[in-house]
Amino acid sequence: MSIHLLPPEVASQIAAGEVVERPASVVKELIENALDAGASFITITSEGAGQRLLEVSDNGSGIKAAELPLALERHATSKLTNAQDLFNIQTLGFRGEALASIASVSVLTLTSRTSESEQGARLRVEGGRVGALIPVGAPVGTVVRVENLFFNVPARLKFLKKESTEKKEIDHLAAQYALAYPQVRFHLKQEGRWSLQTSGDGDARQVLAELYGLEAGRQMLEVLADYDEIRVRGFISPLSLTRSNRRDIIFFVNRRPIQDSQLTTALVQAYQNMLMVGRFPFGAVFIELPVDTVDVNVHPTKAEVRFKEPRQLFTAIQSAARRALLAYTPVHPLEAPLGWTTGPSPSEPQLNWDLPEDRGSAPLSGGQEPVHTQTEIPNQSVPLLRLVGQLATTYLIAEGPDGLYLIDQHAAHERVLFERLMNERSQTIASQALLQPAAVEIPAAAARLLEEQMPVLNRLGFHVEPFGPGSSGPATYLVRALPALLAKMEPAAALRVLVEDFEEDETPLQAEIEAKIIARVCKRAAVKAGQVLSAEEQRSLLLDLENCTSPRTCPHGRPTMIHLSVDLLERQFGRKGAR
Ligand code: ADP
Ligand code: MG
């Protein structure tokens, strides 16, 4: 076959494939155009999961009638004029190919009117063939109607997911933009029903509820921090709410939604040792940074970007998230539950963003240096505590400079043991040999896990070896030694602690499995509720807790202590400003 130029329709269908992958991609491009046009109200209508009909109308600036045909040409844009502009992009669009791409794989009708014009104009394109420009009555703004998406690319149709998935994708996408642009009113109607209606009054929390559910919307923690030229804002989940994967973490860079696994990792790491292993936070994080420090022109759908200083951004996210967590999750205040419903009241922990200097507070456990800390990181450590005594053989009572602390002895001890083992794990942890090795039977699936984790177990002080055959069915293991911490436990029980219900989440990272195993060992080894502790034991537990890096939560993320502030006590006793 000889070389020949592709017919223009074929070339544009090929190019369209990069931009328009599914109905939600059309919604994304059309919303971005509406936002670029300065719209304050955007209505999206979808039918047949977006394949039969997608219509986006806006009250933005509109397109001049004479320019309508041009808007549909590939590489035609009003947002960029020279190559230099590429490094100073203030708009969401700039490639000038969305409308052309969508028009080449659908039946597209573009109706628009600018405020200078008495009437609107309409243009219809069918699979790339442009019809005649006709005058129509229309309000100022633009309506893009996309019918029969992919009608001329049957192969693409086959790749669409089931309708419910495509619909969810559209919902999610619209909600994302609604969240990033709370001052814009978004209405989305799917299959004749309104599925998203925001007021555009600037209240992001209302949109959060749409995205993550009512309860989560209410409880999510607000993030707000500035580092030199980087500003990090957003909402992240409190410790009490988690997901089984990272999918619900979304990032916006200069109000453009992007995917970036590095940034996701930064957020996840901010929760390190505070969430149960295998559980993940969720949230929406908005990053603003100078346009010339981010290259948005690396991906046709603009879903990925490149940063000049990724490292800085990474630490900024981590430290901003950590601040929010520490500010809102510190010692659980009795009166004010996590999160708020009507905005922070004076009794709730307040963020102190504008303290002049970092006073060298507790290091972030991730070991990262904050980029440039202009504000104080709320201290995660606990103040020096004076022991008062034990209550209900379950809690310790202590006095701090700022009030009364009730400490859950089991959770506190878990935290202490967890940090000790995590720190010691590079060396060998004390192990105690059993006088009589014990044979323990373990179900096949659990045995596989045990085998895989043998090196970790050895380091933790378990000496376990396979015993007897067992190619199918339960396998038998011989336990020769246990970690000194668990020495008093029955060997079979000690071993089962390790392998019970390991969830088959995503493939957990080795480090996560290790932490999970250690957390389990600690749970078993920690003093129980109902256990009488001598005064000496109480004192040393308190001291050990004070020395922890994250003393306020147990390794599973539950609080170790409750704080009754002096302020709260005074108000409760009517000594001060009863509200
Ligand atoms: P880009 O957004 O990258 O410029 P598009 O193909 O999406 O490329 O749009 C082409 C041009 O059409 C835009 O630059 C803009 O001038 C105009 N346009 C598209 N949609 C709208 C809209 N909703 N309101 C006003 N102008 C629009
Ligand atoms: Mg565009």
Side-chain angles (χ1 to χ4, degrees), residues 85-141:
D85 291 349
L86 263 181
F87 300 94
N88 184 25
I89 289 172
Q90 313 280 354
T91 49
L92 293 164
F94 57 87
R95 300 170 61 102
E97 54 183 13
L99 288 184
S101 293
I102 298 165
S104 74
V105 292
S106 68
V107 178
L108 184 147
T109 313
L110 181 58
T111 308
S112 197
R113 188 191 135 199
T114 62
S115 58
E116 288 91 60
S117 177
E118 291 293 306
Q119 58 174 2
R122 175 172 293 162
L123 200 56
R124 191 176 142 96
V125 198
E126 215 172 312
R129 275 189 309 280
V130 186
L133 191 67
I134 48 170
V136 290
V140 173

Side-chain angles (χ1 to χ4, degrees), residues 131-153:
L133 191 67
I134 48 170
V136 290
V140 173
T142 304
V143 181
V144 184
R145 188 178 172 89
V146 178
E147 290 160 290
N148 296 331
L149 184 62
F150 300 133
F151 79 95
N152 54 351
V153 228

Side-chain angles (χ1 to χ4, degrees), residues 29 33 79 93 98:
E29 294 296 338
N33 281 347
K79 305 171 189 173

Side-chain angles (χ1 to χ4, degrees), residues 383-527:
L384 279 183
L385 298 174
R386 183 181 70 82
L387 180 70
V388 177
Q390 196 184 16
L391 174 76
T393 59
T394 300
Y395 307 104
L396 301 186
I397 306 177
E399 185 194 346
D402 51 352
L404 181 74
Y405 288 78
L406 268 179
I407 295 145
D408 180 316
Q409 65 188 39
H410 170 69
H413 197 205
E414 258 186 285
R415 165 53 67 188
V416 168
L417 294 178
F418 180 73
E419 292 202 2
R420 192 180 297 158
L421 287 194
M422 290 295 277
N423 290 337
E424 279 175 8
R425 92 199 125 135
S426 43
Q427 314 137 35
T428 327
I429 292 169
S431 170
Q432 184 160 335
L434 301 182
L435 291 175
Q436 188 91 72
V440 180
E441 208 173 68
I442 293 218
R448 216 173 315 121
L449 192 86
L450 200 68
E451 296 277 352
E452 279 167 20
Q453 300 308 323
M454 217 44 115
V456 182
L457 300 186
N458 276 328
R459 250 181 295 142
L460 287 175
F462 285 94
H463 293 179
V464 180
E465 49 194 59
F467 182 63
S471 52
S472 68
T476 308
Y477 287 85
L478 208 56
V479 181
R480 292 193 175 280
L482 288 177
L485 275 174
L486 297 182
K488 289 201 208 95
M489 248 175 117
E490 206 248 313
L495 201 57
R496 280 198 201 105
V497 167
L498 303 175
V499 289
E500 271 163 8
D501 61 58
F502 253 89
E503 294 157 40
E504 307 241 338
D505 251 316
E506 319 175 317
T507 8
L509 301 172
Q510 184 58 39
E512 289 177 347
I513 297 185
E514 210 167 311
K516 194 164 180 168
I517 290 177
I518 292 180
R520 283 166 172 230
V521 167
C522 294
K523 188 167 182 56
R524 288 312 168 111
V527 297

